[in-house]
């Protein structure tokens, strides 16, 4: 093999694709992005929905509704018929639910657009929601709930989120066997009719299509269709209250027999629109990147971690979360937590050096270029931002803002947002093996058996 190259040409910048906006006769907003490089078309309808539209006492409803909306077929094309036809066409129609939105999407060859768009419209507006499919999906969801504590590494981040937002916050609610089991077909039909409305949704389509023809198709398929509840006002989304005051505490989830320990520590973060978000994105890269301060200190120099990470996760409608953590030996757990808090504290007490900041900027820029290189990825981002009422180029604005930041800017944001001595720490470990060492940290400790975790919800 020849020698590996030691230098590379600069990575080019990514240019935004142009979109055209049109509004159908019923008020549905549509973003069109033409790309004739490949003979395919895809689209997504984002509607006001997700868990922030779930009624009290029904966590998990939005996810079950999305699954049955697609898997149950439509009134004109029952499940087996719909699945077979989409397979014949090498096409896809899928539904999903998130925090602020529910969605239905499609993909197909350009030559099959007429038929697939019609099937997409049926799944969106005329799903069959058969009772047997609902029963099946509820059983599968309950089975998943029964196994959600199998992976000890997944427990700490979930419980940390609950502690940061408060156990009674809508952002902390978890589905239960009871909440899933109580979901009825009527509740799903009501949820979908409240979510999928032309005045509360945005459709994005990208690919190889004829501009005039697609407007005709959309008008006949969706513009003239019978959407539910056209004359009633949009419902308000569930509001997430501000998180409670920060509290230095340690929650120990006892998992007997573990020889490793899993740690998640954090506090409330920012929204997407917050002025500190670009600086915190860069700080996350400084802390978390390969060769970043956490990796360098806790793994390379001190040998304390199998894995270590830190990330800021801003939200749209409420404060997101800063979270840091990793996996370590039970015998060195207290050392790991001490070092983790120290490194985070250092980020809030001095600016990053120029090399770390430069590497972080380059890593962020490179990641952005690759994540936005295709027309489909750009439309997906623009569609989500438009549906949320944010500037469709917000992602580009954030990346440009990151490149202008100085080390002092990053430090100032860190000083405002990071409080390691006041953060909640959640640990999953064999309590008998780590209890005494954790007491040396001087934090109040709340101990919970993993068998009892989330059983009283």
């Amino acid at each position: 093999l020849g020698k590996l190259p030691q230098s590379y040409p600069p990575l080019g910048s990514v240019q935004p694709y142009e979109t055209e906006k049109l509004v159908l006769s019923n008020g549905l907003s549509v973003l069109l992005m033409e790309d004739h490089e490949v003979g395919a078309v895809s689209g997504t309808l984002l509607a006001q929905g997700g868990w922030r539209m779930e009624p009290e006492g029904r966590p998990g409803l939005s996810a079950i509704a999305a699954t049955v909306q697609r898997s149950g077929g439509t009134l004109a094309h029952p499940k087996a018929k719909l699945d077979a036809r989409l397979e014949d066409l090498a096409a896809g129609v899928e539904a999903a639910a998130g925090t602020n939105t529910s969605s239905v999407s499609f993909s197909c060859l350009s030559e099959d657009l007429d038929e697939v768009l019609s099937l997409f419209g049926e799944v969106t507006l005329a799903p069959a929601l058969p009772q047997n499919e609902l029963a099946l999906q509820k059983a599968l969801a309950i089975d998943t709930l029964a196994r959600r504590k199998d992976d000890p590494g997944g427990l700490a981040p979930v419980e940390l989120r609950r502690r940061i937002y408060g156990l009674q916050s809508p952002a902390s609610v978890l589905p239960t066997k009871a909440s899933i089991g109580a979901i009825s077909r009527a509740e799903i039909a009501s949820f979908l009719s409240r979510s999928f409305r032309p005045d509360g949704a945005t459709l994005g389509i990208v690919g190889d299509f004829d501009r005039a023809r697609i407007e005709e198709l959309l008008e006949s398929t969706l513009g003239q269709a019978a959407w539910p509840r056209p004359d009633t006002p949009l419902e308000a989304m569930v509001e997430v209250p501000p998180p409670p005051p920060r509290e230095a505490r340690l929650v120990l989830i006892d998992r007997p027999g573990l020889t490793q320990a899993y740690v998640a520590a954090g506090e409330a973060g920012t929204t997407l629109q917050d002025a500190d978000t670009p600086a915190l994105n860069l700080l996350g890269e400084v802390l978390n990147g390969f060769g970043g301060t956490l990796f360098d200190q806790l793994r390379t120099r001190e040998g304390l971690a199998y894995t270590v990470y830190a990330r800021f996760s801003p939200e749209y409608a409420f404060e997101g979360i800063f979270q840091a953590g990793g996996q370590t030996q039970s015998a060195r757990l207290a050392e790991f937590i001490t070092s983790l808090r120290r490194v985070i504290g250092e980020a809030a007490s001095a600016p990053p050096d120029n090399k770390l900041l430069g590497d972080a900027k380059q890593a962020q820029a490179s990641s952005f270029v690759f994540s936005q290189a295709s027309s489909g990825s750009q439309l997906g981002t623009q569609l989500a931002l438009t549906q949320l009422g944010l500037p469709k180029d917000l992602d580009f604005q954030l990346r440009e803002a990151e490149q202008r930041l100085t080390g002092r800017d990053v430090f100032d944001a860190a000083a405002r947002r990071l409080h390691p001595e006041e953060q909640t720490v959640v640990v999953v470990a064999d309590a008998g093996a780590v209890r005494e060492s954790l007491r040396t940290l001087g934090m109040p400790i709340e101990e919970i058996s993993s068998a009892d975790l989330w059983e009283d919800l």
Side-chain angles (χ1 to χ4, degrees):
L1 293 177
K3 296 180 67 175
L4 293 174
Q6 300 300 304
S7 62
Y8 302 89
L11 188 65
S13 60
V14 59
Q15 298 301 316
Y17 283 80
E18 291 298 322
T19 56
E20 178 186 359
K21 182 177 180 179
L22 62 91
V23 180
L24 303 185
S25 60
N26 60 2
L28 177 65
S29 295
V30 182
L31 299 180
L32 297 176
M33 184 181 287
E34 292 189 58
D35 184 353
H36 301 285
E37 186 172 348
V38 178
V41 183
S42 61
T44 298
L45 179 73
L46 284 183
Q48 179 174 288
W51 64 254
R52 289 188 61 219
M53 283 283 284
E54 292 174 345
E56 187 175 355
R58 287 293 183 270
L61 172 61
S62 59
I64 293 290
T67 301
V68 178
Q69 182 181 19
R70 167 58 186 91
S71 66
T74 73
L75 297 177
H77 292 81
K79 175 182 172 67
K81 186 177 180 181
L82 177 64
D83 291 347
R85 187 55 187 153
L86 289 172
E87 184 175 352
D88 289 343
L89 296 171
V93 175
E94 302 298 336
T99 298
N100 304 291
T101 59
S102 294
S103 65
V104 181
S105 59
F106 74 89
S107 60
C108 64
L109 298 176
S110 300
E111 63 200 59
D112 300 321
L113 179 59
D114 290 37
E115 183 176 356
V116 173
L117 195 57
S118 176
L119 296 173
F120 164 80
E122 289 181 21
V123 171
T124 302
L125 299 177
L129 310 179
Q131 190 64 46
N132 62 335
E133 185 66 21
L134 172 57
L136 172 62
Q137 296 304 328
K138 285 165 60 174
L140 292 174
I142 289 172
D143 181 64
T144 299
L145 291 180
R147 292 182 284 105
R148 65 181 167 186
K149 293 190 284 188
D150 289 355
D151 175 19
L155 303 182
V158 175
E159 188 61 15
L160 176 67
R161 177 184 176 92
R162 299 180 70 234
R163 299 301 176 127
I164 289 174
Y165 286 118
L167 298 183
Q168 303 305 315
S169 171
S172 302
V173 175
L174 299 177
T176 65
K177 180 179 179 180
S179 73
I180 296 297
I183 293 173
S184 68
R185 184 186 184 281
E187 286 177 314
I188 289 180
S190 174
F191 178 86
L192 295 177
S193 70
R194 291 186 290 115
S195 295
F196 288 92
R197 299 171 39 133
D199 55 346
T202 309
L203 173 64
I205 296 181
V206 59
D208 180 29
F209 54 81
D210 177 83
R211 168 63 182 79
R213 175 59 180 154
I214 198 149
E215 185 169 0
E216 293 177 5
L217 281 173
L218 291 173
E219 184 61 37
S220 62
T221 303
L222 298 172
Q224 301 297 323
W227 290 66
R229 303 191 180 194
D231 301 320
T232 56
L234 281 170
E235 294 190 20
M237 305 280 278
V238 171
E239 293 294 332
V240 177
R246 293 182 297 274
E247 181 181 353
R249 56 185 168 175
L250 194 150
V251 179
L252 173 58
I253 301 173
D254 180 23
R255 190 69 175 262
L258 283 184
T259 57
Q260 291 84 38
Y262 301 86
V263 178
E267 60 184 294
T270 65
T271 64
L272 274 172
Q273 309 94 302
D274 193 286
D276 282 338
T277 293
L280 297 177
N281 286 340
L282 268 188
L283 179 59
E285 190 66 46
V286 168
L287 290 169
N288 199 51
F290 187 75
T293 52
L294 281 176
F295 187 94
D296 180 55
Q297 292 291 325
L298 273 73
R299 181 178 169 89
T300 304
R301 297 191 182 191
E302 300 177 33
L304 288 171
Y306 301 112
T307 59
V308 64
Y309 68 89
R311 56 175 174 262
F312 290 89
S313 303
E315 292 282 357
Y316 154 66
F318 53 93
E319 295 177 41
I321 285 177
F322 167 74
Q323 178 179 314
Q327 180 184 2
T328 186
Q329 297 175 9
S330 296
R332 304 193 71 184
L333 174 59
E335 292 179 76
F336 175 88
I337 294 173
T338 299
S339 291
L340 182 70
R341 299 172 81 187
R342 186 195 75 243
V343 172
I344 294 171
E346 289 170 353
S349 59
D353 66 44
N354 289 334
K355 183 180 185 310
L356 273 176
L357 184 64
D359 290 347
K361 287 183 176 182
Q362 183 59 48
Q364 288 287 90
S366 300
S367 176
F368 182 67
V369 167
F370 286 111
S371 70
Q372 297 295 309
S374 71
S375 57
S377 60
Q378 284 202 26
L379 181 70
T381 300
Q382 290 188 29
L383 177 63
L385 292 170
T386 299
Q387 173 63 19
L388 295 175
L390 299 172
K392 69 178 184 179
D393 64 343
L394 179 62
D395 228 22
F396 282 85
Q397 293 180 28
L398 291 174
R399 300 295 87 76
E400 291 169 2
E402 289 170 6
Q403 297 305 309
R404 296 192 297 266
L405 292 170
T406 66
R408 180 71 194 194
D409 296 327
V410 174
F411 160 67
D412 287 343
R416 285 189 291 268
R417 300 292 182 172
L418 289 181
H419 313 86
E421 298 304 314
E422 300 173 15
Q423 291 175 358
T424 295
V425 180
V426 178
V427 171
V428 182
D430 185 330
V434 302
R435 191 180 291 115
E436 290 304 314
S437 66
L438 290 178
R439 287 175 178 157
T440 65
L441 298 175
M443 301 172 68
I445 298 175
E446 176 187 349
E447 190 171 321
I448 307 171
S449 166
S450 61
D452 296 333
L453 186 67
W454 309 327
E455 293 301 317
D456 58 347
L457 298 178

